Amino acid sequence: MEKKWWHQSVVYQVYPRSFQDTNGDGIGDLQGVISRLDYLSYLGIDTIWLSPVYESPNDDNGYDISDYQAIMAEFGTMADMEQLISEAKKRGIKIIMDLVVNHTSDEHIWFVEARKNKDNPYRDYYIWRDPLNDDVPNQLRSIFSGSAWQLDEATGQYYLHLYSKKQPDLNWENEKVRQEIHQMMNFWIDKGIGGFRMDVIDTIGKLPDQGITNNGPKLHEYLQEMNQATFGDKDLMTVGETWGATTEIAKLYSDPKRNELSMIFQFEHVGLDQQKGKDKWDLQPLSISELKKVLSKWQTSLGEEGWNSLFWNNHDLPRIISRWGNDQKYREESGKMFAILLHMMKGTPYIYQGEEIGMTNYPISDLSEVEDIESINMYHERLAAGYSKEEILRSINAKGRDNARTPMQWDNSENAGFTTGTPWLHVNPNHQEINVENALKNKESIFYTYKKLIDLRKKNDSIVWGEYQLVHDTPEEVFAYLRLAANEKWLVVGNISDKTQKFTVPNGDFSLVVTNYPQETVPKGEIVLRPYEAFVLHADNK
Ligand code: NOJ
């Protein structure tokens, strides 16, 4: 496989609304991101995925775009955006823009025009259907609860929205739509960005009449066309968000020979704590053997025909320490353990803001504390369906997206150094203890484990390219694997539990490279792993 810069990269996701406010309106902004570039550069990342900063009425916090070529006023101006790109570049950091083209906002000029009348030239930019027996065209459901069809009273037709009513789906079968999107992408490429993260890209080939949303028949055709019309001949990185991808599907997207995307986000591991065939809100305990199985499958299946992204967190997912670790007694240990397990795998690692200091979920006790449209809609739907308030809140506390969206914790001041105003979403009270300032002061903090792992990857090609091999015959809770290269190997071990576990270190002349417990000697032979203990050993392969 031809080596590209993004094979070696570590990406940091910024959710701008919650990262750093500089003008006191309680909402993060682009100047805020600029002001923290030195921090990110010190951490060692070389790519930022910036969640949407385009003009938007914020029904879904910027994932509902009303103008792709303008910046949301709350975040700043186009000049700020250009400054961010150039300031990042000075530090060797590329900016990946979020490309949200499955849908627009209903306030986008295309939709404003489209809904005027059936003959409007923009009508066909969206997906319209006549009522069926005075009702919705079919039973397709929106991911944000309720029907995916909304009646437009004025014209008497329904439009499709896989997300909120204010996020009408674009009609990708319309060539003009595709061309507009390509032009818009080129506008951003010309500004010097490093690539695109493509929002729910697996749904652009949908066939709504047949109830097909993901992986529609023309999906890959559209992506190849997009590749040719925009980034294909540039050295850019692209990552597609694809909820339904299997390893075989992942190859369709990311096999370099097919000229589509650099890589995708697959979500198989993320779904392991939800009941099969049900919603993300229907909780079940994580099976660690399943987690090992799924991640190992992804590690070994793509080979030369694809590339993995590696992540535990993003702005849609609960914080990993609260989710599968221990955010109380073993917050530091479990945070470092997850970092070690992920960053030593093959693929491009992603860090979600605050993950590097071990931020945790923020449990709520009432709906009035929730900002996220997905949680709010689900609450009303389930309440009407007879679920108890307690049960619904349990689901929101476990899986709600606000968990990841509370403001970044920079210091222990009143609003965690995020804003001097009133933050748009509550700051986690644990910022008194968990914050960047404290993390930087303490050489044993989670931050320095991330920094070290990033540095290791930069300096060792074998972490990027080495073969992955699961170590079998361990207790269920122990996740151990090898990374093998021609002349060296890495052994990575993590105890995903708050109990001690037995483990046998294979023979080899290992040295200790990373660990999450104070430890000077190299683990050898039969050992007892402490709660959430994790380490990395290295050996030359003679
Ligand atoms: C996926 C994004 O990550 C999520 O935040 C958003 O709500 C949906 N796509 C719709 O754009």
Side-chain angles (χ1 to χ4, degrees):
M1 197 183 291
E2 192 192 340
K3 292 189 179 177
K4 301 279 193 175
W5 61 269
W6 41 263
H7 287 125
Q8 319 260 350
S9 285
V10 177
V11 184
Y12 188 92
Q13 184 191 352
V14 168
Y15 192 69
R17 203 173 179 76
S18 300
F19 193 59
Q20 177 69 69
D21 178 24
T22 57
N23 64 357
D25 66 356
I27 295 170
D29 46 45
L30 290 174
Q31 285 301 329
V33 183
I34 294 169
S35 74
R36 296 297 184 177
L37 285 172
D38 286 335
Y39 164 74
L40 296 178
S41 165
Y42 181 61
L43 174 61
I45 58 96
D46 55 13
T47 308
I48 292 174
W49 153 22
L50 191 62
S51 275
V53 292
Y54 315 95
E55 196 177 284
S56 162
N58 279 309
D59 194 48
D60 186 20
N61 286 357
Y63 283 89
D64 49 320
I65 296 170
S66 51
D67 186 343
Y68 289 105
Q69 288 171 218
I71 298 296
M72 191 190 301
E74 289 166 335
F75 289 169
T77 62
M78 190 57 86
D80 293 325
M81 189 60 222
E82 285 161 0
Q83 191 190 344
L84 171 60
I85 296 169
S86 72
E87 287 297 321
K89 194 167 177 197
K90 283 184 201 158
R91 295 161 177 86
I93 297 176
K94 295 184 204 267
I95 304 285
I96 303 292
M97 296 297 275
D98 215 311
L99 184 79
V100 189
V101 289
N102 172 69
H103 45 266
T104 66
S105 161
D106 66 340
E107 296 182 33
H108 193 290
I109 185 70
W110 299 339
F111 194 74
V112 172
E113 283 295 318
R115 75 189 320 175
K116 282 187 177 161
N117 56 61
K118 289 188 190 169
D119 302 320
N120 189 282
Y122 289 96
R123 185 73 173 180
D124 200 28
Y125 273 41
Y126 295 88
I127 300 169
W128 300 91
R129 295 291 182 268
D130 288 325
L132 186 68
N133 306 325
D134 280 341
D135 202 354
V136 289
N138 67 26
Q139 294 310 307
L140 259 187
R141 310 268 309 153
S142 156
I143 306 218
F144 291 165
S145 302
S147 170
W149 298 101
Q150 175 67 20
L151 182 63
D152 178 56
E153 302 276 350
T155 57
Q157 283 191 312
Y158 284 88
Y159 64 85
L160 181 74
H161 62 93
L162 291 184
Y163 292 86
S164 98
K165 292 185 179 88
K166 285 183 67 62
Q167 291 168 300
D169 278 50
L170 282 165
N171 175 17
W172 274 73
E173 284 181 24
N174 183 344
E175 196 184 344
K176 283 204 218 116
V177 167
R178 305 202 300 276
Q179 283 168 354
E180 297 252 24
I181 288 168
H182 301 159
Q183 270 170 28
M184 174 272 284
M185 291 173 72
N186 286 328
F187 165 89
W188 283 104
I189 291 172
D190 290 345
K191 291 211 177 291
I193 62 165
F196 298 99
R197 173 266 183 188
M198 301 185 181
D199 191 67
V200 290
I201 202 67
D202 59 339
T203 54
I204 61 173
K206 68 186 79 72
L207 295 178
D209 303 305
Q210 291 157 48
I212 296 174
T213 54
N214 312 63
N215 301 311
K218 289 205 180 144
L219 166 61
H220 296 282
E221 194 181 302
Y222 294 154
L223 287 176
Q224 286 171 7
E225 180 190 59
M226 176 196 280
N227 177 303
Q228 269 193 17
T230 63
F231 54 83
D233 59 353
K234 321 259 178 344
D235 195 13
L236 297 186
M237 166 187 149
T238 49
V239 51
E241 186 197 22
T242 60
W243 279 83
T246 60
T247 52
E248 286 313 303
I249 293 176
K251 292 181 197 173
L252 297 178
Y253 290 106
S254 64
D255 184 341
K257 290 199 287 293
R258 291 175 47 86
N259 296 319
E260 293 189 20
L261 307 180
S262 312
M263 67 188 101
I264 58 158
F265 292 126
Q266 65 81 18
F267 292 89
E268 210 178 333
H269 61 301
V270 167
L272 292 176
D273 55 4
Q274 89 185 40
Q275 292 167 38
K276 275 224 160 51
K278 293 224 183 155
D279 287 346
K280 76 179 208 182
W281 309 111
D282 300 306
L283 313 174
Q284 73 169 16
L286 171 74
S287 149
I288 295 169
S289 35
E290 279 299 307
L291 179 68
K292 294 194 284 188
K293 204 155 96 194
V294 166
L295 289 178
S296 299
K297 177 181 74 185
W298 279 91
Q299 285 291 294
T300 53
S301 301
L302 301 189
E304 294 285 299
E305 297 165 284
W307 189 253
N308 269 305
S309 65
L310 308 169
F311 68 97
W312 297 122
N313 293 283
N314 66 32
H315 64 293
D316 295 328
L317 303 174
R319 296 274 181 188
I320 191 64
I321 296 182
S322 303
R323 186 180 195 174
W324 293 340
N326 180 318
D327 62 10
Q328 301 296 319
K329 189 166 171 201
Y330 297 113
R331 187 183 66 87
E332 296 266 338
E333 291 81 358
S334 62
K336 292 175 190 171
M337 181 272 298
F338 282 117
I340 291 170
L341 283 179
L342 192 89
H343 282 251
M344 292 303 293
M345 285 190 188
K346 184 171 181 177
T348 301
Y350 289 70
I351 300 169
Y352 177 68
Q353 66 185 42
E355 177 182 339
E356 79 282 12
I357 55 164
M359 280 177 62
T360 63
N361 283 356
Y362 182 18
I364 49 128
S365 50
D366 192 77
L367 185 68
S368 59
E369 298 168 77
V370 180
E371 286 287 340
D372 173 29
I373 181 170
E374 183 188 41
S375 297
I376 294 173
N377 289 359
M378 179 280 286
Y379 182 97
H380 294 304
E381 186 173 72
R382 291 208 163 183
L383 208 57
Y387 288 74
S388 72
K389 190 175 152 191
E390 291 65 39
E391 191 175 350
I392 302 173
L393 287 178
R394 204 175 317 123
S395 293
I396 293 179
N397 281 330
K399 294 283 187 70
R401 305 194 297 180
D402 283 349
N403 279 312
R405 298 177 180 184
T406 60
M408 181 71 183
Q409 294 166 203
W410 295 104
D411 59 37
N412 64 9
S413 65
E414 192 187 342
N415 293 317
F418 164 66
T419 181
T420 53
T422 309
W424 73 276
L425 180 65
H426 39 238
V427 173
N428 194 319
N430 68 17
H431 75 273
Q432 297 287 353
E433 182 208 341
I434 304 169
N435 60 61
V436 169
E437 198 176 279
N438 280 352
L440 292 177
K441 275 195 293 221
N442 171 10
K443 289 286 169 203
E444 303 300 323
S445 71
I446 298 175
F447 177 90
Y448 287 103
T449 300
Y450 274 90
K451 185 169 164 60
K452 180 153 194 185
L453 289 164
I454 296 169
D455 189 53
L456 261 187
R457 174 171 289 261
K458 272 195 202 151
K459 294 185 175 140
N460 294 279
D461 247 19
S462 53
I463 299 177
V464 179
W465 296 104
E467 184 198 331
Y468 171 98
Q469 232 175 57
L470 181 70
V471 176
H472 295 279
D473 303 327
T474 67
E476 177 182 354
E477 291 82 356
V478 177
F479 193 171
Y481 61 85
L482 291 158
R483 297 295 310 281
L484 304 166
N487 302 316
E488 55 181 331
K489 64 181 169 202
W490 304 85
L491 173 70
V492 183
V493 180
N495 172 8
I496 313 184
S497 81
D498 58 5
K499 311 261 172 339
T500 57
Q501 304 288 346
K502 289 192 180 138
F503 180 73
T504 308
V505 180
N507 291 334
D509 192 10
F510 285 113
S511 58
L512 180 63
V513 187
V514 186
T515 163
N516 65 346
Y517 272 84
Q519 161 129 4
E520 264 140 46
T521 54
V522 185
K524 267 196 178 47
E526 281 191 19
I527 58 169
V528 174
L529 295 168
R530 290 161 280 188
Y532 297 105
E533 181 164 1
F535 54 77
V536 179
L537 306 184
H538 177 263
D540 291 326
N541 233 353
K542 283 177 230 128

